[in-house]
């Protein structure tokens, strides 16, 4: 018997957000590979999974991605990303900025924060990167809802357990090296799946 459906969103499209320090590498592609690993790890633990991008060339809208959660009765929506600094950071400063952070939906803050904290700890430990903490980001128009469209639409469709994980900075040399190593992505997926497994064992 399935323990529930988890929607895994590999953020961006295939060539979304190129790695400035590794020509030919893209955030969207590496997110996709991580999603495949995470799907396998979660299914091995008894969950069903659905990818918002079942093929690497898929690039559904943010609304479509989020709505897949509630429309399919998912127990969790998790969006996979890597980060980049703002335009105020010069390229020669990229290696000074690194680390993991997890945004969680404001729809069920206490529960989502618990999952976000455990996921962030796992990413920091596995990637050996800086801890940038867990966060919420609220809409400027309505502070009761999420700023990020994928989280907002997951909640609106009925799935209130929703997180967005920034796995390091693809502009940082060490983080980028980790995120482009398939064995490292496999270890990262295993660590995240363990967190999700334990979370739902306690919160089923």
């Amino acid at each position: 018997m399935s323990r529930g459906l988890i929607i895994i969103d590999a953020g961006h499209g295939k060539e979304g957000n190129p790695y400035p320090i590794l020509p030919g590498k893209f955030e969207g592609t590496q997110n996709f590979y991580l999603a495949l690993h995470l799907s396998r790890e979660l299914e091995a633990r008894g969950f069903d999974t659905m990818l918002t991008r079942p093929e690497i060339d898929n690039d559904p809208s943010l609304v479509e991605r989020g709505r897949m959660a509630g429309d399919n009765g998912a127990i969790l929506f998790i969006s996979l990303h890597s980060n980049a600094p703002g335009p105020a950071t010069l390229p020669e400063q990229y290696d000074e900025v690194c680390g993991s952070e997890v945004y969680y939906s404001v729809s069920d803050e206490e529960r989502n924060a618990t999952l976000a904290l455990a996921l962030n700890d796992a990413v920091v430990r596995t990637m050996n990167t800086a801890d940038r903490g867990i966060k919420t980001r609220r809409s400027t128009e309505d502070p009761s809802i999420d700023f990020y469209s994928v989280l907002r639409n997951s909640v609106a469709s009925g799935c209130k357990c929703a997180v967005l994980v920034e796995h390091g900075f693809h502009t940082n040399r060490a983080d980028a090296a980790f995120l482009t190593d398939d064995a490292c992505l496999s270890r990262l997926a295993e660590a995240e799946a363990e967190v999700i497994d334990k979370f739902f064992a306690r919160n089923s």
Side-chain angles (χ1 to χ4, degrees):
M1 181 177 177
S2 171
R3 297 176 63 191
L5 173 67
I6 295 174
I7 303 296
I8 304 172
D9 174 42
H12 306 285
K14 180 179 179 180
E15 296 185 352
N17 295 344
Y19 281 44
I21 56 176
L22 292 175
K25 299 295 184 181
F26 300 89
E27 179 192 351
T29 294
Q30 300 312 119
N31 291 338
F32 176 79
Y33 294 144
L34 176 57
L36 293 180
H37 283 297
L38 183 57
S39 175
R40 284 192 289 268
E41 292 289 343
L42 289 170
E43 291 186 356
R45 290 162 175 78
F47 297 96
D48 288 331
T49 65
M50 181 179 293
L51 305 180
T52 62
R53 292 172 56 202
E55 303 293 337
I56 196 168
D57 290 318
N58 298 149
D59 188 12
S61 71
L62 298 178
V63 173
E64 290 172 321
R65 294 170 190 245
R67 286 183 176 170
M68 283 181 65
D71 289 352
N72 291 281
I75 60 172
L76 170 65
F77 177 90
I78 180 168
S79 190
L80 310 178
H81 292 262
S82 58
N83 217 337
T89 302
L90 300 175
E92 55 265 33
Q93 298 172 308
Y94 282 169
D95 275 342
E96 300 172 19
V97 185
C98 66
S100 167
E101 60 191 25
V102 179
Y103 289 85
Y104 58 96
S105 174
V106 301
S107 62
D108 187 351
E109 285 200 58
E110 183 176 355
R111 185 166 183 258
N112 287 336
T114 300
L115 175 59
L117 181 60
L119 282 170
N120 193 59
D121 287 347
V123 175
V124 168
R125 183 176 62 253
T126 306
M127 292 186 65
N128 191 30
T129 192
D131 184 348
R132 297 172 63 89
I134 63 171
K135 305 170 183 181
T136 59
R137 191 173 178 190
R138 298 173 182 270
S139 167
T140 54
E141 297 177 358
D142 182 352
S144 70
I145 61 175
D146 296 290
F147 170 83
Y148 290 112
S149 179
V150 287
L151 300 185
R152 188 170 65 248
N153 282 283
S154 173
V155 172
S157 69
C159 179
K160 294 185 177 182
C161 191
V163 293
L164 186 153
V165 185
E166 295 279 11
H167 301 85
F169 280 69
H170 54 261
T171 49
N172 175 277
R173 198 169 305 277
D175 285 353
F178 185 101
L179 293 168
T180 52
D181 184 315
D182 195 63
C184 289
L185 292 181
S186 179
R187 289 196 293 113
L188 186 58
E190 182 178 6
E192 293 186 344
E194 278 295 303
V195 167
I196 293 168
D197 184 1
K198 291 177 181 176
F199 176 80
F200 282 104
R202 292 190 301 264
N203 296 274
S204 58

